[in-house]
């Protein structure tokens, strides 16, 4: 008789591509990491086994010819110590097998593409803190393969080691992604954060239009390279749906199509009880917990004049506070698409936490009182900066960095960040490298520009 944990583990191991999710049938299922507390949604049909890698096997995989049937390349995301979601879109018709390997072991996992060829597979049984590679292989008389991706599994739950994350935002398909080339060539990133406006979907309405926008954005060669090089952790901002969209006014069909396309293209763990939910957290040992916020789809602009305005839902806020309190990690990294910093220009503040002052103050006071090691990472404003969240009062000791834009025209508003609240603001396309040292509690923030130019380098003890 299997225990409930064993049953859940077996179900999570299926890696099925049609298990759950609405519209498009994206089929991620969560593993049974204690941190996720999710339950899988489908029964096991083929529990895979990790086997010892023959030394020649990875080389043989690399020698397979690469097929053009993976127009978006491959990507991985929401990595944990034991599991990861692996993603591709497959346009061929042959049976597919996912192979994931480390120096010591290999897993071979049959997968079935869902609607429009999307595959989102949860792979479990990883060794913590270990370099892995992965590939999709077309089976048949002549085997061909996808591009090869790589990732490092997260630290085991008790580990306290340094980490490095990359981050950017706002990568318009009208602009060159060259600022991300340096990031795609790094081998030290534990994950890369996409902080929103990854794809500008403005004008899209039906599902095919959203899918075309995504392909035009993340299908670009530099994006394919970056996405294959390290696990993603992504949230969305307004342009994944429409410019400055209002959740109280948007058509339900358009929003459903936007959400389906987002979840098809982003390798994300999904809670079977709330499969559309974007907010979640990802643990990296005891060094860092990454809190992914959904700052767009739950806001209620009609509540702004009230005494309890809702920028995020009461449920999301309650989860965030409880999770921050419970986290044993040295650093609590908050992925927050639109900045929470109070800027000296009103246009952006109307579209951010700042218009929802009571809830903003409540959260900042909660962190001031109860949380150490908080670091806000945001995007949206089309300039880079780092500084204090508030000039005074709640949040005055909390640090927020604006990463990106990765590929956008610069906003001139960075010139307004002139007071001592900011340590840096600038217009260059960039990505941010976040180095977290749990021994010293130091967060080192390095902004990287085109051609690997180091734009700024700041250190904070959190
Ligand atoms: Fe943007």
């Amino acid at each position: 008789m299997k225990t409930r944990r064993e049953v859940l583990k077996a179900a999570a191991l299926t890696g099925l591509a049609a298990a759950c999710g609405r519209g498009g049938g994206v089929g991620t299922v969560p593993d049974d990491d204690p941190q996720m507390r999710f339950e899988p949604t489908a029964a096991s049909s083929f529990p895979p086994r990790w086997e010892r890698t023959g030394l020649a096997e990875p080389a043989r995989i690399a020698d397979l010819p690469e097929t053009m049937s993976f127009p978006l390349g491959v990507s991985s995301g929401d990595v944990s110590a034991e599991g990861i979601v692996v993603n591709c879109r497959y346009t061929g018709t042959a049976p597919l097998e996912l192979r994931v390997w480390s120096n010591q072991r290999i897993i071979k996992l049959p997968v079935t593409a869902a609607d429009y060829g999307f595959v989102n597979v949860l792979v479990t049984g990883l060794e913590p803190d270990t370099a892995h590679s992965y590939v999709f292989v077309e089976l048949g008389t002549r085997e061909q393969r996808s591009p090869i991706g790589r990732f490092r599994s997260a630290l085991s739950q008790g580990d306290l080691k340094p980490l490095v994350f990359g981050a950017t935002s706002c990568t318009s398909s009208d602009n060159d992604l060259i600022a991300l080339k340096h990031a795609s060539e790094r081998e030290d990133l534990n994950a890369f954060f996409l902080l929103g406006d990854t794809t500008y979907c403005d004008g899209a309405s039906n599902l095919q239009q959203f899918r075309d926008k995504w392909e035009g954005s993340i299908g670009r060669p530099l994006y394919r390279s970056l996405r294959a090089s390290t696990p993603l952790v992504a949230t969305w901002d307004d342009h994944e749906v429409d410019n400055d969209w209002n959740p109280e006014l948007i058509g339900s069909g358009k929003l459903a199509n936007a959400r389906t396309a987002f979840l098809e293209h982003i390798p994300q763990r999904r809670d079977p009880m709330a499969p559309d939910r974007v907010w979640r957290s990802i643990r990296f040992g005891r060094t860092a917990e990454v809190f992914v916020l959904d700052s767009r789809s739950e806001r209620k602009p009609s509540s702004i004049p009230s005494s309890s305005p809702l920028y995020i839902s009461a449920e999301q806020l309650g989860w965030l506070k409880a999770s921050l309190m419970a986290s044993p990690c040295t650093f609590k990294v908050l992925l927050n698409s639109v900045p929470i910093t109070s800027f000296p220009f009103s246009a952006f503040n109307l579209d951010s936490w700042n218009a929802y002052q009571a809830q903003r103050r409540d959260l900042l006071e909660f962190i001031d009182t109860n949380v150490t090691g908080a670091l806000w990472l945001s995007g949206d404003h089309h300039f880079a900066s780092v500084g204090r969240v508030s000039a005074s009062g709640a949040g005055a000791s909390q640090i927020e960095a604006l990463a990106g834009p990765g590929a956008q025209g610069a906003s001139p508003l960075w010139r307004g960040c002139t007071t001592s609240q900011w340590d840096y603001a600038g217009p260059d396309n960039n990505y941010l490298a976040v180095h977290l040292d749990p021994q010293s509690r130091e967060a080192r923030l390095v902004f990287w520009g085109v051609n690997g130019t180091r734009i700024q380098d700041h250190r904070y003890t959190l």
Side-chain angles (χ1 to χ4, degrees):
M1 180 68 123
K2 287 183 174 173
T3 64
R4 179 174 175 279
R5 180 181 170 85
E6 287 169 339
V7 170
L8 293 178
K9 180 108 179 172
L13 280 166
T14 55
L16 32 141
C20 67
R22 299 203 318 226
V26 179
T28 59
V29 290
D31 66 14
D32 64 344
D33 290 358
Q35 71 189 67
M36 300 306 292
R37 306 203 190 289
F38 291 159
E39 295 199 5
T41 57
S44 170
S45 58
F46 43 81
R49 287 197 304 274
W50 287 84
E51 297 169 357
R52 286 194 63 79
T53 308
L55 281 179
E57 193 156 22
R60 194 186 73 79
I61 294 172
D63 284 343
L64 293 174
E66 187 174 332
T67 168
M68 303 300 286
S69 298
F70 297 88
L72 303 179
V74 297
S75 63
S76 67
D78 284 11
V79 66
S80 71
E82 298 177 0
I84 194 163
V85 179
V86 179
N87 167 283
C88 74
R89 178 173 168 243
Y90 176 57
T91 58
T93 56
L96 270 191
E97 186 173 85
L98 171 63
R99 296 179 190 172
V100 184
W101 69 94
S102 65
N103 277 342
Q104 300 296 322
R105 301 190 306 156
I106 187 167
I107 189 174
K108 298 176 181 178
L109 190 65
V111 295
T112 305
D115 185 33
Y116 206 57
F118 287 104
V119 177
N120 276 286
V121 184
L122 180 84
V123 179
T124 59
L126 304 179
E127 295 169 276
D129 195 20
T130 299
H132 291 79
S133 300
Y134 62 95
V135 71
F136 291 92
V137 176
E138 277 186 337
L139 302 177
T141 52
R142 181 170 178 265
E143 289 191 348
Q144 299 188 94
R145 65 167 176 82
S146 70
I148 296 174
R150 65 180 193 271
F151 65 86
R152 186 169 198 87
S153 49
L155 303 178
S156 60
Q157 291 279 318
D159 268 5
L160 201 61
K161 297 179 181 175
L163 297 169
V164 189
F165 298 117
T168 198
S169 64
C170 299
T171 49
S172 169
S173 55
D174 293 334
N175 295 70
D176 198 322
L177 285 169
I178 190 65
L180 304 186
K181 184 171 187 289
H182 184 258
S184 74
E185 293 168 348
R186 294 181 75 133
E187 297 189 355
D188 62 342
L189 297 181
N190 294 91
F192 195 92
F193 304 147
L194 296 174
L195 300 171
D197 292 355
T198 300
T199 295
Y200 284 71
C201 295
D202 309 56
S205 180
N206 64 44
L207 182 55
Q208 190 58 51
Q209 290 167 334
F210 279 102
R211 286 169 168 169
D212 290 344
K213 296 280 190 184
W214 274 93
E215 180 160 349
S217 176
I218 67 170
R220 289 175 283 177
L222 268 177
Y223 237 143
R224 287 173 42 140
S225 297
L226 176 64
R227 290 162 50 250
S229 69
T230 191
L232 304 175
V233 181
T235 187
W236 63 356
D237 195 22
D238 56 333
H239 289 284
E240 279 82 358
V241 181
D242 207 350
N243 184 39
D244 291 347
W245 66 283
N246 181 337
E248 296 181 298
L249 300 177
I250 195 158
S252 59
K254 177 172 177 169
L255 176 57
N257 291 334
R259 195 184 293 269
T260 295
F262 175 75
L263 293 170
E264 286 176 335
H265 292 83
I266 295 294
Q268 177 184 310
R269 289 170 188 264
R270 298 175 69 179
D271 181 347
M273 304 303 292
D276 289 348
R277 182 180 289 165
V278 171
W279 48 266
R280 63 201 187 278
S281 80
I282 313 290
R283 274 274 302 276
F284 291 82
R286 281 197 299 128
T287 302
E289 185 160 358
V290 178
F291 297 89
V292 185
L293 305 189
D294 179 352
S295 301
R296 277 290 171 186
S297 76
E298 296 183 346
R299 60 171 70 177
K300 296 201 180 309
S302 67
S303 71
I304 289 175
S306 75
S307 58
S308 52
L310 289 173
Y311 184 68
I312 60 176
S313 67
E315 186 184 10
Q316 184 179 172
L317 182 62
W319 159 81
L320 179 58
K321 287 180 175 178
S323 302
L324 286 168
M325 283 285 282
S327 179
C329 296
T330 302
F331 298 99
K332 290 87 175 176
V333 181
L334 297 122
L335 306 192
N336 173 48
S337 60
V338 188
I340 197 166
T341 294
S342 178
F343 284 96
F345 28 83
S346 60
F348 282 165
N349 287 344
L350 290 173
D351 192 41
S352 77
W353 283 99
N354 288 279
Y356 302 74
Q357 272 297 333
Q359 195 181 52
R360 176 183 184 271
R361 188 167 54 250
D362 176 34
L363 178 56
L364 293 179
E365 287 176 347
F366 179 86
I367 292 174
D368 281 344
T369 305
N370 300 292
V371 180
T372 58
L375 175 65
W376 293 89
L377 299 180
S378 303
D380 181 68
H381 282 11
H382 298 187
F383 62 79
S385 68
V386 61
R388 266 60 58 189
V389 166
S390 305
S392 61
S397 62
Q398 294 176 41
I399 300 297
E400 181 170 55
L402 273 59
Q408 257 294 7
S411 164
L413 291 174
W414 66 272
R415 297 179 188 279
C417 303
T418 56
T419 71
S420 59
Q421 186 181 344
W422 288 276
D423 298 322
Y424 162 64
D428 298 330
N429 276 203
N430 69 87
Y431 80 93
L432 174 67
V434 180
H435 301 251
L436 300 177
D437 182 346
Q439 302 300 334
S440 64
R441 306 187 67 87
E442 179 184 86
R444 179 183 175 198
L445 306 179
V446 185
F447 293 87
W448 292 93
V450 174
N451 296 326
T453 306
R454 189 187 303 236
I455 301 171
Q456 289 278 315
D457 191 338
H458 295 269
R459 298 166 189 255
Y460 299 91
T461 302
L462 300 179

